[in-house]
Amino acid sequence: MDKSKVANITSVLQEQRVFPPTKELSRQAHIKSLAEYRALYSESIRSPERFWARQAKTELVWFKPWSKVLQWKLPIAKWFVGGKLNVSHNCLDRHLDTPIANKAALIWEGEPAADGKPGEERVFTYRQLHREVCRFANVLKKHGLQKGDRAIIYLPMVPEAAIAMLACARIGAVHSVVFGGFSAQSVADRIADSQARMVITADGGFRRGAVVPLKRNVDEALTIKDANGHLLAKSIERVIVLRRAQNEIQMETGRDFWWHEEIGKVDAASAPEKMDSEAPLFILYTSGSTGKPKGILHTTAGYLLGVKLTMKYVFDLKETDVFWCTADVGWVTGHSYVVYGPLANGGTSLMYEGAPNWPEPDRFWHIVSKYRVNVLYTAPTAIRAFMKWGVDWPKRHDLSSLRLLGTVGEPINPEAWIWYHEIIGGKRCPIVDTWWQTETGAIMITPLPGAIPTKPGSATLPFFGVLPEVVDEAGVVVPRNSGGKLAIRKPWPSMLRGIWGDPQRYKEIYWSEIKGSYFTGDGARQDKDGYFWIVGRIDDVLNVAGHRIGTAEVESALVSNQKVAEAAVVGRPDDLKGQALVAFVTLKTGVPAEASLREELRNHVSKEIGPVAKPDDIRFAEALPKTRSGKIMRRLLKQIAAGGEIKGDTTTLEDFSVLARLSAVEE
Ligand code: WT7
């Protein structure tokens, strides 16, 4: 795609509804008014060092104070230089001499068995979690894992995933969590890139009643060779195996050890390692839409401060809250808002092992009512699935405990926003649409529920210390209501510190596109009130007959039609227009895919957005190809739309059969 005209993105979707916070809610919130938000925000931008020093001092526990708040030499930021602290100490030990010690830190619900037997339930108080983490930290040490070493965590959504992460943090080892749905090849690639010494895995994990053979995948990963015949995973010395699914596995003597056996051989005392503010905390691989995965590096103090503060203010965390972020710990959302953010705040984090529609499509609502969940944080793709399954499922359950809802991962179409607000939130819960990235570590653009009025589809305003702007090719701010590239002008504490082992690529991808600024890769516009509307990845912005159109906007228009469940729009090269719009559409249950519906939908988009956005092709499909984190794989759809064969990496695809079915759809 020709990126030179991105600044003229035609942002056509106009949403007028505004939802101000209720008085009652504002009164009880951490940040109580727009004026209070604006005052703090402007201080955070005007005097960032003063602002961040105060936050770091009040929010975190330090072994040794820092000497310099920020040392910034583009593209390398160092925050709280000279300070010493430990993330697991800040998430656990600090609570032990407070009333929080005996509060639930983690509530875990297992997936129901295939025979309908209810899932297990395990609860860890802060004291119990601390004990487990200390023990496992000692196991890691006993097996030779040292400060600075990397460990791969390849586990299902079980409490031990959080325990393993915190244990690594405790001894100063760097974890790299690999999502349990990834293949042996992905595991091997990540081991090779990170040069990890250890893999922490399980015999198997449960997913919709089936067993995912994690240990077998690890065994296979350890045999995979690169093009030159070298083992990719030669750096691995130990594999620690959690017993979870009881499936049959092989254990290699001297290399593989059972978690439960090792834990019994160590003592329960473990002093947290005193880590530098800038010591690496974790590497998380993100595939992006193209190319080889990038190992996004996060460090200790800045990351922790970012997740602690956003957790507190964005979710307006209360002492008694049960907070449920539905993301897997394999994604950054799981790192920041299942584990580190909630625990650093002494919160109660709910963790669920399974899928939203197993054994039935009301699993989430069952869990909300069972644990009286107060804050639910999930993804638009899940919300659209709930809409598709129908209102009867949530209606069966008591959702009155919910007081706040959140979304993350992609632009939420206003239709889904309103549904979430009305059906799940009972019209009383504000929605925080949070924009951020693996790279940003923590939430960046977001409503604060007691202070910032929301508009469906907008992530609203920047969080403290974040200075986003919408700019053109030259890096100049575009006028309000015009589209452009989303840039972040200043470094912020939880920003990535690099791509593991590839400083050049780090500089090129993030710090070269827009002079002096961080380039997010997203397109956006700011409305007259300064609200940010994320249009989607720049790669997903199309040039149709001279108009730049965000595919997300066309999708949103399609989904606003009652018959449509989900839509993905991609470009196909077109001699006349540059690009033509191809829409892949799944219909609500019971709606027949008739030819006449194509015309109806094309006209619907034309009516909603304008004739420029009218899709040239509409293809009906049973399902869309998605990554396991729920992102639609547009790269594949583009290839299908262009009539070509599927090339490139498909290992992140949730369901391979979708592809064959899509390629076969008749025109
Ligand atoms: C990309 C980052 C951040 C955790 C999950 C995804 C898109 C994310 C929003 C939002 C519009 C959003 C952006 C961003 N995105 N949140 N609220 N509104 N778009 O992490 O895989 O690193 O993806 O997700 O395009 O750049 P990720």
Side-chain angles (χ1 to χ4, degrees), residues 523 622 644:
E622 276 165 57

Side-chain angles (χ1 to χ4, degrees), residues 333 408-411 433-438 522 534 537 631:
T333 312
V408 61
E410 56 176 311
D433 172 356
T434 63
W435 178 88
W436 58 297
Q437 310 177 298
T438 305
D522 281 352
I534 312 297
R537 305 295 296 170
K631 277 208 165 50

Side-chain angles (χ1 to χ4, degrees), residues 90-91 94-95 100 103-105 126 308 317-319 341-348:
N90 268 276
C91 288
R94 72 171 298 178
H95 304 307
I100 292 171
K103 168 181 173 174
Y126 274 89
K308 167 123 205 236
L317 200 66
K318 313 283 189 224
E319 240 172 75
L343 299 181
N345 280 289
T348 296

Side-chain angles (χ1 to χ4, degrees), residues 43-53 69-70 79 465 490:
E43 188 216 343
S44 75
I45 297 301
R46 259 192 352 260
S47 323
E49 302 202 10
R50 189 179 76 185
F51 176 85
W52 286 117
V69 176
L70 171 63
W79 285 88
K490 281 168 175 292

Side-chain angles (χ1 to χ4, degrees), residues 219-234:
D219 292 344
E220 189 190 333
L222 297 185
T223 65
I224 297 178
K225 293 184 176 148
D226 67 13
N228 302 319
H230 302 303
L231 280 178
L232 281 171
K234 349 183 241 314

Side-chain angles (χ1 to χ4, degrees), residues 581-626:
L581 288 168
V582 181
F584 292 83
V585 169
T586 65
L587 297 172
K588 294 236 175 83
T589 313
V591 177
E594 290 159 351
S596 63
L597 188 53
R598 283 207 180 94
E599 209 38 41
E600 183 184 329
L601 292 179
R602 295 181 70 232
N603 291 332
H604 177 77
V605 174
S606 181
K607 197 171 112 261
E608 291 286 306
I609 304 185
V612 290
K614 199 168 175 173
D616 299 270
D617 285 346
I618 302 237
R619 297 196 183 191
F620 297 120
E622 276 165 57
L624 300 174
K626 290 187 189 166

